[in-house]
Amino acid sequence: MESSPIAAIILAAGQGTRMKSDLHKVLHPIAGRPMLLHLIDSVDRAGAAHRVVVVGKGREQIEAAVADRGVTTVLQAEQLGTAHAALQAREALAGFEGVAIVCFGDTPFLSSATIAAMAARLSAEDKPRIAVLGFRPPDAKTYGRILAESDGTITKMVEYKDANAAERAVDLCNSGVTAVRAADLWPLLDRVGNDNAAGEYYLPDIVMLALIDGDRAVVVETDPDEVIGINSRAELAYAEDRWQAARRIRMMDDGASLIAPETVWFAYDTKVGRDVTIEPNVFFGPGVSIADGATIHAFSHIEGATIGAGAEVGPFARLRPGAVMGEKSKIGNFVEMKKAVLGKGAKANHLTYLGDAEIGAGANIGAGTITCNYDGFFKYKTQIGAGAFIGSNSALVAPVSIGAGAIVGAGSVITADVEADALAVARGKQEARPGRAKRFREIMAAKKAAKT
């Protein structure tokens, strides 16, 4: 088949009232990424030459979300139906002579392969005028129906509100995704009327107009999960669940071990190497990369972090953006890292905060240590050299540098640099007063007895 240039018209002007949210419906995230951007990514992978997003109420939010994507936005001032919405893209696509794919911003899982296949279908030997993406869900609900012959030729399309009982019994549903040559799209849209139960201009009506003209329209079928439409919080949760289930399988197919797959949550861009083990109840936010052989123990929360080969995280650890763990380094239970680098083989096993810090190879950070990186106005850096040993319950008040091989005594508050191989202790002198504790107890017991 010959290939034609592709332009995507993404309809995102709906108000999304069922979401009950100040955030525009198509910007609600799945796997840490707005659903609209999932769709734009697919459109880009399909090689689309143009991407036009039709916006309405809340347009400022959408325009901000796509500002760095080279996307054109056009306004549908009144929501008069999907055909009317698609027509708003005509000026933006003036002179475009390829295939227009009309799709929906709340259908984030539409794949690049399907987009390309629909465009290619118009170039097949039978040269249909329109291709429509259909699916057969377990429950057809109130989706529009497609009546088609066994070869995919469409005989009728009807919205649920306008369908009779026999038509509603058909299980082939219309996803709304439509492929039409641009030269055909605009004249067809101009002819669409609104004589229907909702009084709207329906995009599927262009199919019936094409049939009236004696042309063919065909249906291309896909899996229902690919065309999940998201209009409510419940549907958003279902879509997240389906995305996560598919990604877990992919991660395991690629060589990672998930002990309890259903409890692990990935972000859209999580990168996991081979022979990585991920224990139960781990959450990944965006921007995480894990090298081969690393282990992520249970109940860890990781985002914006890079984890080196053979490293260990957790259990109950938190890695925040800018955390970098070197090869075979270790972060243990109840340790938090933020914008900190942990060198090869270095470790902080428990109850520690490492923020705005650089820790050298082989260093040991004792339990309860914190880098005091913020004075209420500015952030400062802590540097800990290779092989240094930081005793438990130490506070390192940045900016401060601990030299290679240095030792900081437990319970110290370090406010000045410590040179390499030095021992630094900064704490109050311990005193012991014989018998004082016993005397205190006697006095307090007498006072208590006097009150009873």
Side-chain angles (χ1 to χ4, degrees):
M1 298 181 189
E2 62 183 62
S3 60
S4 299
I6 296 173
I9 302 173
I10 301 172
L11 307 187
Q15 297 187 26
T17 54
R18 287 170 58 194
M19 279 289 189
K20 295 181 172 61
S21 175
D22 293 332
L23 180 66
H24 196 288
K25 177 177 72 170
V26 302
L27 298 182
H28 280 263
I30 294 172
R33 189 166 182 76
M35 65 175 87
L36 175 62
L37 297 188
H38 280 279
L39 178 59
I40 291 174
D41 286 344
S42 289
V43 167
D44 288 348
R45 287 193 295 269
H50 302 277
R51 298 101 79 225
V52 180
V53 179
V54 182
V55 298
K57 184 178 180 180
R59 61 181 295 187
E60 298 83 3
Q61 293 183 18
I62 294 179
E63 289 169 348
V66 302
D68 62 348
R69 298 299 300 266
V71 170
T72 300
T73 58
V74 296
L75 177 65
Q76 183 189 24
E78 293 183 87
Q79 278 67 64
L80 302 178
T82 50
H84 178 261
L87 195 57
Q88 309 311 303
R90 174 158 51 188
E91 183 176 343
L93 294 177
F96 176 72
E97 298 180 354
V99 173
I101 305 288
V102 184
C103 48
F104 298 82
D106 62 0
T107 307
F109 298 156
L110 183 65
S111 72
S112 57
T114 296
I115 294 169
M118 291 190 69
R121 183 66 183 87
L122 297 184
S123 299
E125 188 175 344
D126 57 345
K127 297 285 185 181
R129 193 174 182 189
I130 300 173
V132 176
L133 189 63
F135 64 107
R136 299 180 189 271
D139 181 357
K141 299 180 182 178
T142 57
Y143 291 109
R145 302 300 203 264
I146 301 174
L147 283 64
E149 298 175 358
S150 58
D151 66 352
T153 299
I154 295 174
T155 58
K156 185 178 181 180
M157 290 181 61
V158 59
E159 292 295 322
Y160 183 85
K161 294 177 183 178
D162 301 306
N164 59 38
E167 291 165 343
R168 290 180 178 183
V170 173
D171 68 347
L172 182 57
C173 297
N174 175 25
S175 71
V177 181
T178 307
V180 195
R181 295 176 189 86
D184 292 326
L185 177 61
W186 313 122
L188 287 169
L189 289 174
D190 281 333
R191 293 165 57 191
V192 172
N194 66 345
D195 184 16
N196 52 60
E200 294 187 351
Y201 298 88
Y202 289 143
L203 178 65
D205 284 357
I206 67 173
V207 172
M208 301 311 298
L209 292 170
L211 299 184
I212 290 171
D213 292 343
D215 292 316
R216 292 181 68 246
V218 297
V219 60
V220 175
E221 291 194 43
T222 191
D223 185 274
D225 276 354
E226 185 177 354
V227 288
I228 293 171
I230 301 171
N231 295 290
S232 67
R233 305 279 185 161
E235 290 173 350
L236 181 68
Y238 176 80
E240 179 79 43
D241 178 71
R242 301 315 304 148
W243 189 96
Q244 293 292 341
R247 185 54 56 96
R248 291 165 190 147
I249 291 171
R250 186 197 300 181
M251 291 296 190
M252 291 186 287
D253 286 345
D254 289 343
S257 291
L258 276 58
I259 306 303
E262 69 280 3
T263 70
V264 177
W265 292 78
F266 293 106
Y268 71 97
D269 60 349
T270 308
K271 296 180 176 63
V272 177
R274 295 180 62 180
D275 296 317
V276 169
T277 298
I278 302 175
E279 292 183 355
N281 297 296
V282 174
F283 181 90
F284 295 100
V288 175
S289 176
I290 306 171
D292 295 350
T295 299
I296 312 299
H297 293 293
F299 295 99
S300 294
H301 188 290
I302 304 170
E303 58 182 321
T306 301
I307 299 169
E312 287 189 59
V313 178
F316 296 98
R318 185 181 182 195
L319 301 185
R320 293 167 56 194
V324 178
M325 294 182 62
E327 180 183 352
K328 295 184 178 179
S329 62
K330 184 176 180 181
I331 287 294
N333 49 286
F334 303 105
V335 175
E336 179 179 351
M337 284 181 69
K338 187 275 296 185
K339 202 175 180 182
V341 177
L342 193 65
K344 179 178 179 180
K347 56 187 178 180
N349 280 327
H350 14 245
L351 304 166
T352 291
Y353 171 67
L354 300 173
D356 297 281
E358 186 172 332
I359 297 99
N364 185 92
I365 311 299
T369 295
I370 60 171
T371 57
C372 307
N373 59 328
Y374 183 52
D375 65 2
F377 296 92
F378 301 101
K379 297 288 182 70
Y380 303 95
K381 188 172 183 178
T382 298
Q383 292 185 300
I384 301 173
F389 184 96
I390 310 299
S392 298
N393 201 35
S394 293
L396 309 179
V397 183
V400 70
S401 176
I402 311 299
I407 296 175
V408 172
S412 294
V413 178
I414 302 298
T415 59
D417 291 351
V418 178
E419 65 183 37
D421 296 318
L423 169 63
V425 180
R427 57 183 179 231
K429 182 180 178 181
Q430 180 174 319
E431 289 186 31
R433 299 183 181 184
R436 182 62 64 88
K438 180 180 179 181
R439 182 181 173 189
F440 173 79
R441 287 193 298 270
E442 291 172 347
I443 292 171
M444 298 309 292
K447 287 183 177 179
K448 186 173 182 181
K451 291 183 178 182
T452 60

